[in-house]
Amino acid sequence: MTKAIYLKEHKQIAEKLKQARILAGLTQKEMAKKLNKPQSYISKVEQGEQRIDVIELQHFASLYKKNLSYFIN
């Protein structure tokens, strides 16, 4: 078993989250407000420093008008 905390799949999801936000025309600050989180949270998620669970991913997907499969394929 790997000792890495973050796998390449985590990095790919983080990159997809950033792409989806940009495509949705939202800033990190706007997204943070929609999620009732600080802007730094969105930044950390997009940089792969903050992992999110599947429920949080579903919230992001809903706000970005994307299916969950967009983030995991």
Side-chain angles (χ1 to χ4, degrees):
M1 184 162 177
T2 180
K3 290 185 179 183
I5 296 173
Y6 300 104
L7 304 175
K8 74 175 184 174
E9 290 86 357
H10 295 124
K11 179 91 170 137
Q12 290 170 344
I13 290 171
E15 290 171 2
K16 289 275 195 160
L17 284 164
K18 182 176 180 178
Q19 290 172 1
R21 178 183 55 77
I22 291 168
L23 289 172
L26 296 167
T27 65
Q28 286 184 351
K29 188 174 181 178
E30 291 168 333
M31 189 59 186
K33 186 174 181 179
K34 289 178 181 290
L35 292 172
N36 199 29
K37 301 276 188 181
Q39 178 273 327
S40 60
Y41 172 80
I42 305 300
S43 177
K44 288 178 182 179
V45 167
E46 291 181 358
Q47 292 176 23
E49 295 174 11
Q50 172 71 47
R51 290 174 61 175
I52 59 173
D53 66 25
V54 70
I55 302 301
E56 291 170 311
L57 183 58
Q58 187 174 357
H59 290 147
F60 277 91
S62 177
L63 290 168
Y64 294 150
K65 297 180 178 23
K66 299 283 187 191
N67 292 320
L68 282 176
S69 62
Y70 172 84
F71 299 99
I72 55 176
N73 289 329

